[in-house]
Amino acid sequence: MLIDTYGRVATDLRVSLTDRCNLRCTYCMPEEGLQWLAKPDLLTDDEIVRLVGIAVTRLGITEVRFTGGEPLLRPGLVSLVERCAALRPRPRISLTTNGIGLARTAPALAAAGLDRVNVSLDTLRPDVFQRLTRRKRHQDVLDGLAAARTAGLTPVKINAVLMPGINDDEAPGLLAWALDHGYELRFIEQMPLDAQHGWRRDGMITAAGILASLRTRFTLTPEDAGERGAAPAERWLVDGGPGRVGVIASVTRPFCGACDRTRLTADGQIRNCLFAREESDLRAALRSGATDEELAERWKRAMHGKKAGSGLDDPAFLQPQRPMSAIGG
């Protein structure tokens, strides 16, 4: 079991498969991209499956989420899903993606055992999409969403980040569109995880601002607090339901007290918090011949020292040295 000194138990594993991405979102990385990890530094497919297996069979992990960068860029993704779905006890397996390439791969991923997807989509306007991502791939994302729904990768969740002066007027329209298509929309406050370290607290659209915008068009009823559990999103019934909308307010309404996540980076580092500035190296131990038991103990120690909170409210807060693309969402 992965338990920290505050009694929180990690049951949700986020696995970054690559730091590479085929978009250049302004709130994530510069237009020219980043210096990507060298291939020898990345965990191999066999190493990923072994570590996920240790997490599931020895450490109590029940949910596995593949992330990036962009995980659809990982050549062995379908096989990784299939091999992890064969573990016993079987974990629930999901994928966070920008949706590009999902139209092509959704059927194979579903057949391999993927349970559902989260797709990033910040706008319904192709011109705004290009401004935000620096790529003309808006229709590819819409096609990927539709393919995921058709393949049964449900509930299909959409993650949206609102940026001042760019798409901050789109919240009601995005929600109406998502409800019409059977998707579950979740707005995420912009977090200090950009490679440029340009994030500013006074320059972000807060959860309060998002909800105020949505209420200009919809009636929102808070979901029973008991249904949230360790989920990062607060959820509201829209116009009495059954449709819902979520808001992940990592900055203004942190949920650290109920956090149940542990993170494995593409280069084999354990992160006990998304905003941590320290990592614990499993790759070196794994490649030096450590046993499954030894790797499990290292993982336990890494999680035991998890801090009480992210530290975002501390005036001395410093962003992680590595950006979101390198550490996984």
Side-chain angles (χ1 to χ4, degrees):
M1 187 163 63
L2 294 171
I3 186 169
D4 64 34
T5 54
Y6 298 92
R8 295 168 297 192
V9 178
T11 58
D12 185 337
L13 169 61
R14 309 294 172 96
V15 182
S16 176
L17 299 181
T18 178
D19 60 330
R20 296 174 184 266
C21 190
N22 42 14
L23 297 180
R24 297 290 182 271
C25 296
T26 56
Y27 52 76
C28 186
M29 67 176 70
E31 186 171 5
E32 65 274 14
L34 301 169
Q35 183 174 350
W36 310 121
L37 291 166
K39 188 173 181 179
D41 293 336
L42 297 173
L43 293 175
T44 67
D45 289 0
D46 287 344
E47 289 171 336
I48 290 172
V49 173
R50 182 182 174 193
L51 291 175
V52 172
I54 291 170
V56 168
T57 62
R58 292 174 177 265
L59 298 173
I61 292 297
T62 59
E63 301 219 10
V64 176
R65 172 90 61 88
F66 291 120
T67 73
E70 174 44 53
L72 290 178
L73 295 178
R74 180 91 183 200
L77 175 60
V78 172
S79 175
L80 281 170
V81 170
E82 185 173 33
R83 293 170 69 183
C84 290
L87 294 169
R88 294 295 178 270
R90 184 198 189 282
R92 280 189 55 80
I93 304 173
S94 58
L95 179 76
T96 294
T97 171
N98 61 30
I100 295 174
L102 189 57
R104 182 182 68 255
T105 56
L109 288 168
L114 188 69
D115 293 303
R116 65 170 193 83
V117 293
N118 284 41
V119 179
S120 298
L121 178 65
D122 303 321
T123 178
L124 296 176
R125 305 190 297 237
D127 61 319
V128 175
F129 182 90
Q130 183 177 352
R131 182 179 175 189
L132 278 168
T133 68
R134 305 183 178 104
R135 296 291 187 272
K136 294 182 178 181
R137 306 298 297 271
H138 189 254
Q139 188 60 49
D140 292 328
V141 180
L142 299 184
D143 292 345
L145 282 162
R149 182 184 57 205
T150 300
L153 298 173
T154 55
V156 176
K157 297 184 180 180
I158 295 176
N159 295 335
V161 176
L162 299 181
M163 300 293 289
I166 301 177
N167 65 336
D168 54 337
D169 61 335
E170 288 199 60
L174 270 167
L175 178 54
W177 178 84
L179 292 172
D180 286 345
H181 287 77
Y183 305 137
E184 184 174 322
L185 178 62
R186 308 190 314 170
F187 292 98
I188 304 177
E189 289 183 336
Q190 184 197 4
M191 294 181 284
L193 293 168
D194 59 303
Q196 310 94 305
H197 285 204
W199 176 87
R200 298 189 344 268
R201 186 181 300 272
D202 59 2
M204 57 172 281
I205 307 298
T206 66
I210 294 166
L211 293 169
S213 179
L214 293 175
R215 287 184 172 121
T216 64
R217 184 166 170 181
F218 303 98
T219 298
L220 303 182
T221 306
E223 192 174 60
D224 190 314
E227 294 186 32
R228 182 179 181 183
E234 294 179 79
R235 298 201 305 179
W236 285 261
L237 292 173
V238 181
D239 292 341
R244 290 174 170 81
V245 65
V247 177
I248 299 177
S250 300
V251 178
T252 63
R253 301 181 184 180
F255 40 88
C256 302
C259 182
D260 66 348
R261 284 166 289 289
T262 182
R263 289 177 164 81
L264 177 66
T265 68
D267 55 349
Q269 311 300 305
I270 291 298
R271 297 181 62 85
N272 59 27
C273 175
L274 186 59
F275 300 102
R277 291 178 62 82
E278 307 83 25
E279 298 176 334
S280 300
D281 188 0
L282 285 190
R283 183 190 63 195
L286 185 155
R287 294 181 178 177
S288 296
T291 64
D292 287 359
E293 183 177 356
E294 290 169 337
L295 291 169
E297 287 302 316
R298 283 175 175 263
W299 205 325
K300 288 179 183 178
R301 288 197 297 272
M303 292 304 297
H304 191 259
K306 185 174 182 174
K307 296 178 180 178
S310 63
L312 280 169
D313 290 331
D314 188 335
F317 172 79
L318 295 174
Q319 290 188 219
Q321 293 173 319
R322 297 212 282 175
M324 173 75 85
S325 61
I327 61 182

